[in-house]
Amino acid sequence: MTIAPTLNEQLARARADLRMGVPVVLNGSDPVAFVAAETLDPDRLRSLRAVSDESILTITARRAETLRARAYDGDVARIRMPADADAAWVRSIADPAGDLMNPMKGPLSSLRTGDASAHRVAVRMVKSARLLPAALVVSVPDAASFAAEHNLTILDISAAGEALDERSPLHSVVSARLPLEVSEAGRLHVFRPEDGGEEHYAIEIGRPDRSRPVLARLHSACVTGDLMGSLKCDCGPQLRAALAKMGSEGHGVLLYMNQEGRGIGLANKMRAYSLQDEGFDTVEANHRLGFEDDERDFRLGADILRSLGFSAVRLMTNNPAKTSMMQSCGLDVTERVPLHVGHNPHNEAYLETKHRKSGHLK
């Protein structure tokens, strides 16, 4: 038995540090300290730049494409920080909010040699903290000594990278009866991941027969649509229509997954909305922010359904990617149940983009 934190607990601690603007140390053959560009303040920038002769701002290839910067490392670009660059410059590279007002950010000089492993892990860590996917990275002479001197969280580069590749196991926390408008025979199950991430929920309607395909929906949390009645998406109407259908059939399971904004978080989703107001569609906005089209992990939904005892589903979705993921995770999708509701003039372009670029079915 050990009292020291496990790797998952260290990763959770590191995410909290990054959200507060505190650097994290990565130990390996080329040890570094890094901090999220979004939460970097001028004082900490000056202190970090004094540590190393060269400061590197690492961004995703998607963001690099917008900035016309070379991504020699494939999925990331390591940009040399100019000697006179300040915290505002770092923010302008990470955040596309000012791109149209100040499109000329360069010329940006990207590193093409050297090991990018630590930089890649740094960006993935920042992304997993639901921040803009950009990190300021500086080399440190000795990771353990530097972390101890400044009381910083230290992670092994290889171990952290492997952990970020894996999905965290989910454990049932509690379930309780929950009468709903659509059915008095409702029950809410709460699942918590081992990595300290957000909890996910399963709303069970009736007592579905585990030996038969269950009517199911994987619904990603949408604060604006589900709670506020936003007309920019169809999430709220889909949520209510799915529950209503389960209520009318007398059984079903709705998985409410805390993967807001296609997995980028509410703050970044609002940034994407701002970019949409400038004329970019939903996919283009995500790319300008440095994210992929969809950052969600549907495998978590399959894990929950299996833990509840289901092996086959009638899946309520317009997204073929959900169907494919369920099947690849060993769940038999016996039927795709369309869910076409919530169309209005405000989300017409959004729904068309989902159909044209993300393969959603009409």
Side-chain angles (χ1 to χ4, degrees):
M1 179 178 178
T2 178
I3 297 176
T6 65
L7 176 58
N8 270 336
E9 291 163 345
Q10 288 178 308
L11 288 168
R13 180 183 292 178
R15 292 187 186 97
D17 289 346
L18 293 170
R19 290 182 65 84
M20 294 293 293
V22 177
V24 172
V25 176
L26 292 175
N27 191 20
S29 57
D30 296 306
V32 303
F34 73 96
V35 65
E38 179 178 342
T39 54
L40 177 65
D41 65 45
D43 289 338
R44 191 157 266 136
L45 172 60
R46 283 190 290 271
S47 297
L48 285 171
R49 297 198 76 173
V51 172
S52 175
D53 293 335
E54 188 171 50
S55 302
I56 304 300
L57 183 58
T58 307
I59 58 177
T60 66
R62 288 296 190 188
R63 181 65 181 143
E65 182 180 6
T66 294
L67 298 172
R68 302 293 188 266
R70 298 283 189 178
Y72 293 113
D73 302 307
D75 55 341
V76 297
R78 294 172 291 153
I79 298 173
R80 293 184 178 90
M81 191 168 170
D84 60 348
D86 56 12
W89 181 88
V90 172
R91 181 60 181 257
S92 73
I93 299 299
D95 190 346
D99 281 358
L100 296 188
M101 292 182 293
N102 182 26
M104 302 303 293
K105 301 282 198 307
L108 300 175
S109 175
S110 299
L111 292 176
R112 66 167 70 211
T113 60
D115 187 5
S117 299
H119 299 77
R120 185 172 288 111
V121 170
V123 168
R124 293 177 66 192
M125 277 298 306
V126 171
K127 182 188 286 189
S128 72
R130 297 291 187 264
L131 299 170
L132 287 168
L136 178 71
V137 183
V138 298
S139 297
V140 296
D142 181 86
S145 297
F146 187 83
E149 178 184 355
H150 299 285
N151 196 26
L152 300 176
T153 300
I154 182 170
L155 300 167
D156 178 80
I157 294 173
S158 298
E162 291 175 5
L164 290 170
D165 283 335
E166 300 173 355
R167 66 184 185 277
S168 177
L170 291 165
H171 299 289
S172 177
V173 178
V174 66
S175 67
R177 189 177 66 86
L178 182 68
L180 302 171
E181 289 182 356
V182 299
S183 172
E184 293 184 3
R187 193 170 191 83
L188 178 64
H189 304 263
V190 178
F191 290 86
R192 183 177 295 159
E194 286 184 0
D195 65 0
E198 294 172 296
E199 295 170 347
H200 305 288
Y201 316 114
I203 298 95
E204 184 176 3
I205 302 298
R207 291 293 180 266
D209 185 345
R210 267 56 176 174
S211 67
R212 299 174 59 84
V214 63
L215 181 63
R217 165 141 179 94
L218 273 70
H219 188 89
S220 298
C222 178
V223 169
T224 51
D226 298 341
L227 301 184
M228 303 176 190
S230 169
L231 298 176
K232 285 182 68 69
C233 64
D234 55 348
C235 300
Q238 285 190 329
L239 172 64
R240 290 181 284 276
L243 285 173
K245 184 169 180 59
M246 292 174 188
S248 66
E249 292 197 8
H251 62 85
V253 176
L254 186 139
L255 305 182
Y256 198 82
M257 313 300 294
N258 270 313
Q259 301 189 108
E260 177 79 46
R262 293 194 163 195
I264 66 176
L266 182 58
N268 287 319
K269 184 173 83 168
M270 291 300 97
R271 291 184 172 115
Y273 277 11
S274 293
L275 292 173
Q276 289 171 35
D277 288 340
E278 295 178 0
F280 300 102
D281 66 35
T282 182
V283 172
E284 292 167 342
N286 269 27
H287 290 179
R288 293 185 76 87
L289 286 165
F291 296 103
E292 296 301 319
D293 303 21
D294 196 334
E295 298 275 354
R296 291 174 293 182
D297 188 350
F298 297 130
R299 298 175 300 174
L300 297 171
D303 291 344
I304 292 176
L305 285 168
R306 277 200 305 270
S307 72
L308 290 173
F310 298 104
S311 59
V313 296
R314 297 166 54 221
L315 194 62
M316 300 184 69
T317 185
N318 304 323
N319 185 357
K322 288 184 181 179
T323 302
S324 299
M325 183 59 72
M326 291 296 101
Q327 291 173 329
S328 69
C329 290
L331 284 176
D332 182 16
V333 181
T334 63
E335 178 187 1
R336 184 188 72 83
V337 180
L339 193 59
H340 298 298
V341 293
H343 294 210
N344 68 73
H346 296 277
N347 64 23
E348 183 177 354
Y350 164 75
L351 296 176
E352 178 59 30
T353 298
K354 287 208 298 184
H355 167 66
R356 183 166 45 86
K357 292 188 175 183
S358 301
H360 286 227
L361 303 174
K362 290 186 174 181

